Amino acid sequence: MADGTRRVTILGCGQMGLVCAQMLSQSRWSGEIGVTLWGHAAEEVAELSQVRTSSRLPDLTLDPRVRVALTDEQALEGADLIVSAVPTQHTRGAWERLRDVVPADAAVVSVAKGIENGSLLRPTQVIAEALADDPDGKPRRVGCLSGPTIATELAKCLPATMIAASDDGGFASELQGLFTTRWMRIYTNADLLGVELAGATKNVIAIAAGVLDGMQAGSNAKSALLARGLAEITRLGTAMGADSETFFGIAGVGDLATTCFSPFGRNRSCGEALGKGETLDGYLKRTASVVEGVATTRSVMELAEKYRVEMPIATAVNRVLFEGLDPLDAIAALMSREMKDETVG
């Protein structure tokens, strides 16, 4: 690569990793960006480097300028921006594996949507902890990209929006410029906590939405679920210190609506299978995709208890997933709750 080229490494060759490679190769700065894609499975990476397509996202073919790295060292050599597209529960393992070859001055942006089990940390926090940067050294710039991003639509370059969030406003603006394309519009937001939390918690509500679909409960029920789910998400977010306005924007209600209604949403599809009577184990065994909301549900329940926030929908999802509660009984329990005024947040 010529001197002056921005070197971006994408960790993860799943759907979002592939989509991020496409966005960067089609951005207005594409001629000045060198993109490298890394995956943890050597066999999958080798095949991707040859055929340039993946069964994970058949409608997308990698731009010829995107390099697929065959080794960890090759992936991160000279990188000044790293895009973490690894599922949340696997983020720590990936970054600990790569820690010794991560450039000290490389900035990081996460596109994962979840809360790590056990630690209850958001993806950017997990990455920071895994890297164990010198506290006396220069702070590493960290942010996230989030929003309503069904990958099958992005692969077709259909119009979409995302949020670039960071505690560093300059870094958020930098991400905005890098990832904007003719079909992707990026907004900035200083509320990194709120944006990451919204992306994680909406997956839990989307599982509930899928359950309603599986039971053919109708659009009235689903829209009510979305509205009350948003109220739960906002309550938890504000209790944790996030800006309530974040949950009424693109990364909040925008992402929630897409995930709850799109037939391609992984979490909604999982819930639909449960609503039709399939077991969770059975569904997870037959799907090739990671359903982030399943593990995140456990974390959300712990956060709700920690911050003393009432989350009846998330609680019902948790009981259906892990306690054997029949989805019909879960709906009945929600409908028979004490009558009260509507409150949001």
Side-chain angles (χ1 to χ4, degrees):
M1 298 179 199
D3 290 341
T5 298
R6 185 71 186 268
R7 292 172 172 82
V8 181
T9 296
I10 299 169
L11 303 184
C13 54
Q15 289 188 341
M16 278 308 297
L18 295 168
V19 164
C20 286
Q22 174 162 293
M23 282 193 284
L24 290 169
S25 65
Q26 294 186 9
S27 80
R28 59 178 176 168
W29 303 107
S30 59
E32 301 174 30
I33 303 174
V35 181
T36 299
L37 190 60
W38 172 93
H40 74 94
E43 184 176 335
E44 182 179 11
V45 168
E47 181 179 358
L48 183 61
S49 68
Q50 294 295 318
V51 301
R52 312 295 293 179
T53 61
S54 169
S55 59
R56 297 175 185 271
L57 209 55
D59 289 328
L60 185 149
T61 300
L62 285 178
D63 186 281
R65 292 168 293 183
V66 176
R67 182 180 66 159
V68 179
L70 300 179
T71 68
D72 295 352
E73 293 77 10
Q74 185 184 73
L76 288 160
E77 183 180 6
D80 48 46
L81 175 65
I82 305 172
V83 181
S84 184
V86 180
T88 303
Q89 306 307 324
H90 301 288
T91 294
R92 184 180 298 274
W95 281 86
E96 287 180 345
R97 165 180 165 175
L98 298 168
R99 178 168 52 205
D100 292 342
V101 291
V102 173
D105 57 351
V108 176
V109 57
S110 169
V111 295
K113 297 177 180 178
I115 303 293
E116 187 181 47
N117 291 158
S119 71
L120 305 184
L121 296 178
R122 309 185 317 271
T124 57
Q125 294 175 307
V126 173
I127 293 166
E129 191 170 279
L131 287 175
D133 287 334
D134 181 359
D136 296 323
K138 182 180 179 181
R140 190 183 296 274
R141 297 188 299 165
V142 177
C144 79
L145 282 169
S146 191
T149 49
I150 298 295
T152 51
E153 294 186 9
L154 300 186
K156 298 175 182 178
C157 301
L158 298 179
T161 59
M162 294 183 78
I163 294 293
S166 177
D167 296 332
D168 181 333
F171 183 46
S173 296
E174 188 176 316
L175 294 172
Q176 180 182 47
L178 280 173
F179 285 89
T180 293
T181 72
R182 57 182 174 80
W183 49 272
M184 173 61 74
R185 181 174 174 83
I186 308 289
Y187 292 86
T188 60
N189 189 318
D191 184 16
L192 179 58
L193 163 61
V195 170
E196 283 194 286
L197 192 63
T201 52
K202 60 89 184 177
N203 285 335
V204 179
I205 305 303
I207 292 174
V211 169
L212 294 181
D213 286 342
M215 301 180 69
Q216 299 184 353
S219 296
N220 291 335
K222 195 170 179 181
S223 293
L225 176 86
L226 190 152
R228 297 314 302 158
L230 179 62
E232 291 189 17
I233 291 171
T234 305
R235 281 199 298 271
L236 178 62
T238 54
M240 291 178 64
D243 186 342
S244 62
E245 288 190 7
T246 298
F247 302 97
F248 294 90
I250 291 169
V253 68
D255 201 2
L256 177 64
T258 292
T259 310
C260 286
F261 283 95
S262 172
F264 300 106
R266 299 175 185 179
N267 297 280
R268 190 216 61 82
S269 296
C270 176
E272 182 177 17
L274 300 178
K276 290 179 177 178
E278 189 169 355
T279 66
L280 177 62
D281 286 344
Y283 179 79
L284 294 180
K285 285 178 181 177
R286 72 173 174 85
T287 183
S289 302
V290 175
V291 184
E292 288 266 38
V294 173
T296 294
T297 297
R298 293 187 186 275
S299 296
V300 168
M301 286 293 89
E302 291 190 45
L303 287 172
E305 181 178 1
K306 178 179 180 180
Y307 290 94
R308 300 181 181 181
V309 174
E310 186 180 27
M311 301 186 73
I313 296 173
T315 299
V317 171
N318 185 70
R319 293 188 63 195
V320 169
L321 291 176
F322 306 118
E323 298 178 13
L325 179 66
D326 187 289
L328 187 61
D329 292 334
I331 294 173
L334 289 171
M335 293 298 291
S336 61
R337 295 180 71 243
E338 179 185 357
M339 291 182 284
K340 58 180 68 176
D341 293 336
E342 180 186 33
T343 57
V344 179

